[in-house]
Amino acid sequence: MLNTILCILISIAFVYILANPKVPNSLLFLLLAPILILTHVLDAATVWGFFANNSLHLVMIISVYASLMAVSGFDEQIGETFERMTRNIHGKNRERGLFGIIFVLAALCSTIMANSSVTMAMVPALYGISRRMKISRSKLVLFVIYASTLGGACTLIGTDTNIFANAALEEAGITPFAMFDFAWVGIPIAILGGIYMVMFHHLNKSYDDLEDADSSMPAPKERTDDMARVMKRQQTGIFLGFFSFILILLLNSFDFFKALDINAYAYGYLTIGLLYGFKCFSWKEVLHGFNFERMFMIVGLLAVIKMITNSSLGSWIGALLEQSIGGTSMYFIFTVLFIVTVIITQFMNNMAACGVISPIAITIAGTLGADPRAFIMAIAIAAGCGYMTPFASGTNQRMSVFAKSTIVDYMRYGWPLIIITYLCALLILPHVFPFF
């Protein structure tokens, strides 16, 4: 009984930390993890063992490369390519053609790069397109936000939320997702969502902001010839290191390559070390990429999930759910989990929303003897549906300074994407990952 009360109090603190934007998310580990150890809810070996979670290291490797891409100007190459491909669009349907190209580029880049990096890289190009083609900058910015979100849902590394969902499965002792498992549902969502966004772009409100003198516009960087040569070497190093890492991740999905026993995460760290060893980047630049705030947050989330699923609280929740959902359709449970996650993610960090709902889904699946992977993937995708508010995701928050779009604009253009996402998830996931 005492154990259950203690777990309930820790769970309340867990939700408070995630829901309060003034409280650092890293407190999930720095505060709750020691309490779990000192009260013997979890042993120390279990808590420290979360640092060995493969998905945690995947997040760290991706974070370092995202930071190094910004240092090297690699992300600016995306913006320049984007600018060149949209420069000569003319004709009666030029706006639809433009939005089609924007969608494809943003979505494809977001499958392997952080959404925030992709969208920020496109900002200078969006300013130029806005002035040249007389299209509202705010409209372009919101379009790119949604396009990158849809693209990120297609792969394991497309968003941190997908990676965290994988970590939750791994810690529960369940077979984790492979690199392109999300593509089964992510690609149909991206295709249908892209068609909707392009065909109905008039629902995305325009503002009179073509000639705004916006101080938030990133200033162009002046570079000497020496700087250009250094950045070229850095970009080459990133291309070889990062894309070979992605290739190893992809190949590890196949049995013939698994037999070689090449650890993709060890290889990822090796490539980062080589970038420093060959003097492509300084040690300070490499170290800056390690997002320790995010690392502690993920470990804290995993610790609380372990507490809920393994403790007497988990058993209590399981018994309660068994009584309340006995005989209930798995599709109904799927729908409830999806809707609750979508609502929470509009006001909470995406990964945090996934962390709150994941242990409940795992407990429900365990109680019913079901495979939780369809539930967990649906939760990860739902947690990425930040289509209703400007603060629903980090990308929304960072990009909102470049646009005048209001919460009403987000809702009017974004709600059909949630419907598309839900229907695709409901119709596809139970067949790819059967409940039983």
Side-chain angles (χ1 to χ4, degrees):
M1 183 63 181
L2 181 62
N3 181 278
T4 301
I5 294 174
L6 182 61
C7 290
I8 291 173
L9 293 175
I10 292 174
S11 299
I12 293 172
F14 163 70
V15 173
Y16 173 78
I17 290 173
L18 292 180
N20 192 332
K22 296 182 180 179
V23 179
N25 288 327
S26 57
L27 275 181
L28 283 174
F29 173 77
L30 299 176
L31 182 62
L32 297 186
I35 292 176
L36 290 171
I37 295 173
L38 294 174
T39 56
H40 303 290
V41 173
L42 295 177
D43 60 77
T46 298
V47 174
W48 307 142
F50 294 132
F51 285 100
N53 185 285
N54 285 330
S55 297
L56 172 67
H57 293 286
L58 179 56
V59 170
M60 299 305 291
I61 293 167
I62 296 297
S63 294
V64 173
Y65 268 111
S67 177
L68 296 182
M69 285 179 183
V71 171
S72 69
F74 191 93
D75 54 351
E76 293 179 16
Q77 298 297 318
I78 297 174
E80 291 173 6
T81 301
F82 178 73
E83 173 76 16
R84 288 195 299 271
M85 293 187 69
T86 59
R87 186 174 295 277
N88 298 317
I89 296 179
H90 303 287
K92 184 178 180 181
N93 294 317
R94 67 188 186 105
E95 283 198 11
R96 284 185 179 172
L98 171 69
F99 283 116
I101 291 175
I102 292 175
F103 180 85
V104 171
L105 286 174
L108 284 177
C109 291
S110 294
T111 60
I112 59 171
M113 292 178 62
N115 296 355
S116 57
S117 298
V118 172
T119 51
M120 287 297 293
M122 289 185 169
V123 168
L126 294 181
Y127 271 74
I129 292 169
S130 174
R131 289 190 295 267
R132 188 175 70 250
M133 301 191 70
K134 307 302 181 186
I135 299 175
S136 168
R137 184 183 71 247
S138 298
K139 181 174 183 173
L140 290 168
V141 168
L142 186 57
F143 186 92
V144 166
I145 290 173
Y146 288 172
S148 66
T149 301
L150 289 170
C154 294
T155 64
L156 174 62
I157 64 171
T159 69
D160 286 346
T161 307
N162 292 1
I163 299 174
F164 175 75
N166 215 40
L169 287 178
E170 188 178 339
E171 290 304 326
I174 301 164
T175 304
F177 299 121
M179 176 68 174
F180 288 106
D181 278 351
F182 280 88
W184 287 104
V185 66
I187 290 177
I189 291 171
I191 292 173
L192 294 177
I195 291 172
Y196 155 72
M197 287 175 60
V198 172
M199 297 302 294
F200 295 92
H201 67 84
H202 59 274
L203 296 177
N204 185 0
K205 186 176 179 179
S206 296
Y207 285 86
D208 184 17
D209 54 6
L210 301 182
E211 304 297 333
D212 283 0
D214 194 337
S215 59
S216 61
M217 166 65 181
K221 299 177 182 178
E222 295 184 4
R223 301 191 181 102
T224 63
D225 290 341
D226 288 340
M227 290 175 62
R229 282 193 293 271
V230 170
M231 294 179 75
K232 186 67 175 177
R233 186 172 73 250
Q234 290 175 332
Q235 291 167 10
T236 301
I238 285 177
F239 179 83
L240 294 174
F242 182 68
F243 288 100
S244 63
F245 169 62
I246 298 300
L247 180 62
I248 296 294
L249 277 177
L250 172 61
L251 291 175
N252 268 318
S253 301
F254 301 98
D255 291 335
F256 78 90
F257 193 81
K258 289 180 181 177
L260 300 177
D261 196 24
I262 298 177
N263 188 292
Y265 311 104
Y267 178 81
Y269 282 123
L270 175 63
T271 60
I272 293 171
L274 290 175
L275 288 176
Y276 169 71
F278 284 105
K279 301 187 183 302
C280 293
F281 297 93
S282 69
W283 180 243
K284 183 178 179 180
E285 289 170 334
V286 171
L287 193 62
H288 180 73
F290 285 91
N291 192 326
F292 295 106
E293 169 80 14
R294 186 171 299 171
M295 179 185 71
F296 284 130
M297 175 188 174
I298 292 173
V299 173
L301 285 169
L302 293 175
V304 174
I305 288 175
K306 192 75 169 181
M307 176 202 75
I308 293 174
T309 54
N310 284 21
S311 68
S312 54
L313 176 61
S315 302
W316 179 75
I317 293 174
L320 180 64
L321 290 171
E322 188 171 16
Q323 293 178 4
S324 59
I325 64 177
T328 302
S329 166
M330 296 297 288
Y331 288 92
F332 176 78
I333 298 171
F334 182 100
T335 298
V336 171
L337 290 172
F338 185 94
I339 292 173
V340 171
T341 306
V342 167
I343 293 172
I344 291 176
T345 203
Q346 305 309 318
F347 309 99
M348 184 184 291
N349 177 289
N350 305 90
M351 197 185 301
C354 187
V356 169
I357 307 299
S358 291
I360 298 174
I362 292 173
T363 301
I364 291 175
T367 300
L368 300 176
D371 185 339
R373 286 182 296 171
F375 287 159
I376 296 299
M377 185 173 286
I379 289 169
I381 292 172
C385 288
Y387 301 122
M388 299 292 279
T389 67
F391 37 85
S393 72
T395 302
N396 292 16
Q397 294 167 16
R398 292 185 184 94
M399 293 295 288
S400 62
V401 299
F402 304 111
K404 295 181 178 180
S405 302
T406 66
I407 189 170
V408 174
D409 300 329
Y410 277 79
M411 289 181 176
R412 182 173 64 173
Y413 196 42
W415 72 264
L417 293 175
I418 295 177
I419 301 300
I420 290 170
T421 301
Y422 165 70
L423 291 176
C424 287
L426 184 70
L427 295 174
I428 296 172
L429 288 180
H431 297 284
V432 179
F433 302 103
F435 295 124
F436 298 101

